[in-house]
Structures are given as C-alpha cells and as structure tokens.
Amino acid sequence: RVLFRSIPFDRSSSRSNCPTSDKRHLVNLSTVYAVPGFANRTIHLLFSDWQVSGILRVQSGSYLTVTTGVDNALTGQPNQRPNQILGDPFASEQTIDHWLNPAAFRAPATGTYGNLGAGNILGPGNIRLDMGLTRTFNVREGQTLQFRAEAFNLPNHVNPGAPVTALNNPNFGRSQTAGDPRIMQLALKIGRAHV
C-alpha cells in the first residue's frame, strides 16, 4: 500500500504577479475650464461663467489566474492551474464573449500540476471619461443658484469585467460583467453668496 506519493512540481510555475493590486499602467487626467466673460450683453448672459470639468482614467487590467476547476493533482486542494500549450493565451479577436482562447490551455495529466503560473494572464483594461458642467447665478443679494450637469462614463464605453477563468466552466474566457454604463444627473443648489 502506498502511503506517500511524490507529485512532480515545477517551482518556476509558482512565480506570479500580484493579481489584486498589480496595475502596471494607470493614468488620471483632470481639468477645469472656465468660459471667459463676453462683452455683448446677450452672449454674456447665455455663455459666460460656465465651468467645464473632466476626469479621464485609463488603466491596464488586473492579472488573472486560470484554473482547471478540478483536482488534477489529487491533493484535495482547489485552484490548480492548467498547462499553457500555446504562446498566446488570448483570443485572436478579443470581445466580451471571447477574451481568452480555450485552445491555449489543457488540464495536466492526473496526479500532476500544470505549468501555468498564478496571476500571469492580463485581464481587460478600463477607460472612463466623466464630465461636469456648472454655472452659478446670482439670484438676489446674498443668494446664489448653482446649476450642475454631470455625466459619468460620458462616451458609454464598455469596460468588460474579468473573464471566467475556470477551464471546466462552459463560459470560460467570457466576460460576464461590465463596468457602469453612462449615468447622467442634473442638480440645482441654492446657496449664499461668498463675500
């Protein structure tokens, strides 16, 4: 009777990126532009004193770990990794429904570990543009009325979430979530004028 069995283990497959916090590229740009005053009274009333603000955020995706979804090594431990058999793990034309190429991975032989490291597959990135438009009107002495219009994810850009990474899942490689859609809001605020 066998009491202990040695399972081949490739130490190089344990090297990985930090899946939760490793963001290689992150750009945040913010701006505020104040429309200047105009000499013409009508144009001044309509177009002066507006403020346009914007925040652009572009970031690369998080690192993902592809798993077999089953206990191939027969150790009773979950989240075992497959073998990567193609150099490029991504779909030739990446879409929300087809981010990873299932043919790039294969479950290892029973009783062995796979050669794929943890956190080595880059997930989808994120692009977001938020804009705001404000103007403060003097209503009467000591009081102001501020109008504000805001748009979050103004271009309604689809930011796919992380794809399914378990090989035994029929949705493997498919992103089943997405970031927030365009959201717009309007507000009026009555306040006191600053002296």
Side-chain angles (χ1 to χ4, degrees):
R1 184 170 107 164
V2 177
L3 297 176
F4 177 77
R5 179 167 49 134
S6 174
I7 298 175
F9 184 71
D10 179 8
R11 290 188 187 278
S12 65
S13 70
S14 294
R15 296 179 184 153
S16 69
N17 300 292
C18 182
T20 56
S21 61
D22 191 348
K23 304 282 187 187
R24 300 289 168 97
H25 305 100
L26 175 60
V27 176
N28 282 313
L29 297 173
S30 61
T31 182
V32 176
Y33 175 74
V35 177
F38 295 97
N40 182 292
R41 181 172 166 76
T42 306
I43 293 176
H44 179 82
L45 286 172
L46 294 174
F47 299 109
S48 293
D49 302 324
W50 289 95
Q51 282 191 338
V52 181
S53 59
I55 299 174
L56 174 65
R57 181 182 179 94
V58 181
Q59 68 180 18
S60 56
S62 299
Y63 284 90
L64 310 171
T65 300
V66 174
T67 62
T68 60
V70 295
D71 180 13
N72 290 90
L74 305 176
T75 61
Q77 298 298 313
N79 301 326
Q80 294 173 12
R81 300 183 298 270
N83 289 318
Q84 183 175 339
I85 57 175
L86 296 178
D88 186 3
F90 302 104
S92 56
E93 292 185 26
Q94 288 178 315
T95 65
I96 290 178
D97 290 331
H98 198 63
W99 187 263
L100 297 173
N101 180 2
F105 308 97
R106 182 181 302 148
T110 301
T112 64
Y113 287 104
N115 65 10
L116 182 63
N120 285 334
I121 306 296
L122 187 61
N126 188 295
I127 299 173
R128 183 175 170 137
L129 175 64
D130 300 335
M131 297 289 294
L133 179 68
T134 60
R135 183 172 177 186
T136 302
F137 301 90
N138 291 318
V139 180
R140 58 184 177 186
E141 189 174 335
Q143 281 194 329
T144 60
L145 177 68
Q146 184 184 73
F147 168 78
R148 183 169 192 86
E150 295 174 322
F152 303 95
N153 190 12
L154 179 66
N156 206 22
H157 179 76
V158 176
N159 290 303
V164 175
T165 56
L167 274 177
N168 67 337
N169 189 313
N171 291 313
F172 175 80
R174 174 181 287 175
S175 179
Q176 296 186 300
T177 61
D180 292 330
R182 180 191 303 127
I183 297 172
M184 301 178 78
Q185 63 185 23
L186 302 173
L188 286 175
K189 180 174 133 184
I190 297 174
R192 302 179 88 178
H194 297 290
V195 180

